[in-house]
Amino acid sequence: EDQVTQSPEALRLQEGESSSLNCSYTVSGLRGLFWYRQDPGKGPEFLFTLYSAGEEKEKERLKATLTKKESFLHITAPKPEDSATYLCAVQLPFQGAQKLVFGQGTRLTINP
Amino acid sequence: NAGVTQTPKFRILKIGQSMTLQCTQDMNHNYMYWYRQDPGMGLKLIYYSVGAGITDKGEVPNGYNVSRSTTEDFPLRLELAAPSQTSVYFCASSSLAGSFNEQFFGPGTRLTVL
């Protein structure tokens, strides 16, 4: 069964304290891995897409990496405005549409 | 561009009632999706559409129906509401499915069935 698991479920950091979020997956035929940010009461907002093992992408204080079994979202010197739930999703081969399987998310809190 | 809009934002239904969740996008996207998000769970795909007049089931379609008469609109219908349908519903759209384009999400509808 295709499965995406994120850890930890929740993470509380002090402002400036760097850390990493994990997304591990067991899927057949990965076509891409997506990271989204979700603020309370809002829909997910796209951050990154990673296509192949070894790929890295950066945006401000965030860097996403991908291996054959997992992805990491590294947060460097976070600020309170980085507080959100971070979702990862994998795209499966699916004729005619983009089928995404989502993890349950990591709720990140950055204290000032 | 307003992006993806959803109405209503909140709704309380009684068991057995029916309702339609509205979704509209103004980006001329061919692909549209309905997800539900339960606390502590990932988003689950309910139905999707690859264009006007074409829809198909996702992972959790039971208890729901959809239609797609225009490119812009993709309503989700609940015929006989049940407590298990209490959830937050998100509509999304994307321009292409074959490439790795991002999905754009609406703000969600929070539904409670009592």
Side-chain angles (χ1 to χ4, degrees), chain A residues 31 36 38 51 94 96 98 103, chain B residues 31 37 48 50 100-101 103:
Chain A
R31 295 192 69 202
Y36 284 85
Q38 185 175 24
Y51 305 134
F94 195 72
Q98 181 192 52
Chain B
Y31 299 92
Q37 185 177 37
Y48 67 93
V50 300
F100 304 105
N101 283 344
Q103 292 185 13

Side-chain angles (χ1 to χ4, degrees), chain A:
Chain A
E1 180 185 352
D2 301 315
Q3 201 163 10
V4 179
T5 303
Q6 292 187 246
S7 62
E9 289 188 9
L11 180 62
R12 189 178 294 269
L13 301 172
Q14 289 299 120
E15 184 173 1
E17 181 183 0
S18 302
S19 188
S20 297
L21 312 182
N22 177 263
C23 171
S24 63
Y25 56 90
T26 53
V27 298
S28 52
L30 176 74
R31 295 192 69 202
L33 186 140
F34 295 74
W35 282 98
Y36 284 85
R37 169 190 171 127
Q38 185 175 24
D39 293 304
K42 296 190 176 182
E45 180 182 343
F46 172 78
L47 291 173
F48 304 109
T49 308
L50 302 167
Y51 305 134
S52 57
E55 187 174 2
E56 299 182 353
K57 287 194 177 175
E58 289 188 63
K59 180 179 181 180
E60 295 182 0
R61 294 175 292 281
L62 300 176
K63 184 168 87 171
T65 62
L66 181 64
T67 72
K68 289 186 177 179
K69 293 292 184 185
E70 59 191 349
S71 177
F72 292 93
L73 185 65
H74 306 279
I75 302 177
T76 302
K79 298 181 178 181
E81 54 262 41
D82 294 321
S83 296
T85 296
Y86 290 86
L87 304 171
C88 79
V90 297
Q91 179 176 344
L92 307 180
F94 195 72
Q95 187 174 6
Q98 181 192 52
K99 182 180 180 183
L100 296 180
V101 177
F102 281 84
Q104 79 278 23
T106 292
R107 188 172 66 254
L108 176 66
T109 304
I110 308 299
N111 294 318

Side-chain angles (χ1 to χ4, degrees), chain B residues 65-104:
Chain B
N65 276 302
V66 294
S67 60
R68 184 101 179 265
S69 57
T70 67
T71 299
E72 295 78 18
D73 300 308
F74 190 39
L76 177 71
R77 179 83 177 163
L78 283 70
E79 290 295 348
L80 291 170
S84 60
Q85 293 177 306
T86 294
S87 189
V88 181
Y89 292 84
F90 290 101
C91 178
S93 70
S94 65
S95 59
L96 291 171
S99 66
F100 304 105
N101 283 344
E102 62 183 283
Q103 292 185 13
F104 293 83

Side-chain angles (χ1 to χ4, degrees), chain B:
Chain B
N1 278 354
V4 179
T5 57
Q6 293 182 239
T7 58
K9 290 188 182 299
F10 305 93
R11 184 72 185 269
I12 298 175
L13 283 182
K14 293 183 179 178
I15 294 172
Q17 287 185 320
S18 62
M19 76 163 293
T20 299
L21 282 67
Q22 301 292 345
C23 174
T24 300
Q25 54 91 10
D26 62 359
M27 296 173 283
N28 201 32
H29 285 170
N30 287 332
Y31 299 92
M32 296 188 74
Y33 313 83
W34 274 106
Y35 295 91
R36 61 176 288 171
Q37 185 177 37
D38 299 314
M41 306 286 286
L43 280 80
K44 302 287 187 184
L45 182 65
I46 305 171
Y47 270 95
Y48 67 93
S49 170
V50 300
I54 307 171
T55 64
D56 206 348
K57 296 177 181 179
E59 189 179 358
V60 290
N62 291 345
Y64 307 95
N65 276 302
V66 294
S67 60
R68 184 101 179 265
S69 57
T70 67
T71 299
E72 295 78 18
D73 300 308
F74 190 39
L76 177 71
R77 179 83 177 163
L78 283 70
E79 290 295 348
L80 291 170
S84 60
Q85 293 177 306
T86 294
S87 189
V88 181
Y89 292 84
F90 290 101
C91 178
S93 70
S94 65
S95 59
L96 291 171
S99 66
F100 304 105
N101 283 344
E102 62 183 283
Q103 292 185 13
F104 293 83
F105 285 82
T109 293
R110 183 176 295 273
L111 176 66
T112 302
V113 182
L114 301 174

